[in-house]
Amino acid sequence: MMDVSVLGHQVDYPENVTLLDFFNLKVTECSQKIAVRYGRETLTYQELNAKANTLAAQLQACGVGKGDIVPVIIGNSLELPIAWLSLVKLGAVFVPFDPDWPVQRLQTNLAQIGSQTILVNAELDGISDCGSEVINVHAGSLVTSDYQLRLPQIAPDDLIYGFFTSGSTGLPKCALNKHRGIFNRFHYMAKHFDFCQPKTVLLNSRHVFDPSVWQILWTLTVGGEVVIPEKANHLDLAGMIDIIHERSITMTDFVPSIFNALVEMIDSSRSLVEKLSSLQCLLIGGEAINVK
């Protein structure tokens, strides 16, 4: 452990560890606990880890290795966290793409990355002729196999993921992050939100925006349950409220504009308050917030 001075306070900070170390610990501690829920489908920590290992072994056999940047064109599904984790295990860099992006946008962003391998979980127009190997990921097909998995040593300064910017100042650019950067946030969140129990987290952001990283991966490093909506529509507030109620969501994330719309909806129908009673923590960010 090393001491880091922050605004005059000394805090302990784990050195030379990554989020993968904490996920592996939870696989041991919470093996039969639900890790991911998508509709009526679930994966325990043990099942999620086994499927991620199987996919990682298959990708390794195809030549994917440490430092490789790999587009993941997979939307809300069980395959989403499996794909991310498999690449993290390999020391590769996952870059989320939206299957619903126009073909031209997909091709432009793929050309910018220039990856040799692409992960998908559905047939997509304009992808097969991009010059990369396209690997279809299906959770049900990822069973224990004879693949030999040789995991590399992953260090805090290794890259972990990238997200494309909005492109408001020109063409979208892929901004990359290191293990050290995201683990710093996860470590803080684990302490700050320790009181939130159980940690049942709703994936309430589009998976191509960086809040999805904490909603999925942080949750899995603290033994929580990730709830992935079947329909990724963060503007469907009524549907969102129903999911929060049905799955007893305790924690999620809102941009201020959506949160303000939610507050207005509750103000006009106070009966909705009861449906949100399970919520313990809300993270608000991404835009300027109106506190009035």
Side-chain angles (χ1 to χ4, degrees):
M1 303 285 284
M2 94 178 148
D3 287 335
V4 179
S5 179
V6 180
L7 298 179
H9 298 286
Q10 295 292 322
V11 296
D12 288 331
Y13 184 79
E15 195 172 9
N16 297 322
V17 297
T18 69
L19 64 86
L20 194 55
D21 296 300
F22 278 68
F23 171 69
N24 289 335
L25 179 63
K26 295 306 172 184
V27 171
T28 300
E29 294 178 345
C30 313
S31 63
Q32 300 308 309
K33 185 177 184 293
I34 292 175
V36 179
R37 182 183 299 274
Y38 174 70
R40 296 183 178 181
E41 299 177 283
T42 61
L43 291 174
T44 65
Y45 273 82
Q46 184 179 63
E47 292 169 335
L48 173 62
N49 188 55
K51 289 181 182 297
N53 282 341
T54 300
L55 178 58
Q58 293 175 2
L59 294 176
Q60 193 171 66
C62 293
V64 177
K66 186 175 180 179
D68 290 342
I69 299 177
V70 180
V72 180
I73 316 179
I74 295 175
N76 282 21
S77 61
L78 290 181
E79 288 81 14
L80 183 63
I82 292 171
W84 286 11
L85 281 170
S86 69
L87 293 169
V88 172
K89 286 172 178 285
L90 292 176
V93 183
F94 68 86
V95 181
F97 278 57
D98 194 332
D100 293 330
W101 281 346
V103 172
Q104 183 60 51
R105 182 175 180 181
L106 285 171
Q107 293 177 336
T108 298
N109 289 358
L110 287 171
Q112 184 182 140
I113 292 178
S115 176
Q116 296 182 355
T117 306
I118 299 170
L119 302 188
V120 302
N121 69 339
E123 295 297 326
L124 297 171
D125 293 335
I127 302 302
S128 59
D129 57 355
C130 66
S132 303
E133 182 175 8
V134 180
I135 297 177
N136 268 282
V137 181
H138 296 290
S141 300
L142 293 170
V143 296
T144 303
S145 66
D146 294 330
Y147 286 104
Q148 297 298 311
L149 179 59
R150 303 171 303 281
L151 294 179
Q153 183 67 38
I154 300 172
D157 286 322
D158 291 334
L159 294 172
I160 179 171
Y161 66 78
F163 280 89
F164 276 92
T165 63
S166 62
S168 56
T169 59
L171 287 176
K173 302 175 181 63
C174 186
L176 302 173
N177 197 7
K178 296 180 178 180
H179 276 269
R180 187 185 302 278
I182 193 62
F183 180 77
N184 180 53
R185 177 177 181 178
F186 283 10
H187 185 253
Y188 170 80
M189 288 181 65
K191 289 186 173 182
H192 192 74
F193 297 110
D194 182 60
F195 68 90
C196 180
Q197 298 293 341
K199 290 180 175 64
T200 308
V201 179
L202 175 64
L203 176 61
N204 196 32
S205 299
R206 298 285 293 183
H207 69 285
V208 291
F209 296 124
D210 60 0
S212 62
V213 172
W214 84 257
Q215 292 170 10
I216 295 176
L217 295 183
W218 174 76
T219 307
L220 297 174
T221 65
V222 293
E225 177 183 324
V226 183
V227 177
I228 302 177
E230 292 182 270
K231 296 181 180 179
N233 185 0
H234 64 285
L235 298 179
D236 179 12
L237 294 180
M240 183 191 307
I241 291 172
D242 286 340
I243 292 176
I244 290 172
H245 175 63
E246 292 167 5
R247 296 303 177 196
S248 298
I249 301 297
T250 60
M251 193 171 180
T252 192
D253 195 326
F254 288 94
V255 294
S257 56
I258 301 299
F259 178 69
N260 291 341
L262 178 66
V263 171
E264 291 177 4
M265 189 173 179
I266 294 171
D267 282 342
S268 64
S269 180
R270 302 299 294 177
S271 62
L272 294 176
V273 173
E274 180 61 29
K275 284 192 168 186
L276 298 172
S277 61
S278 63
L279 284 173
Q280 300 176 33
C281 304
L282 290 179
L283 276 66
I284 310 293
E287 303 169 348
I289 187 169
N290 179 4
V291 296
K292 297 182 180 180

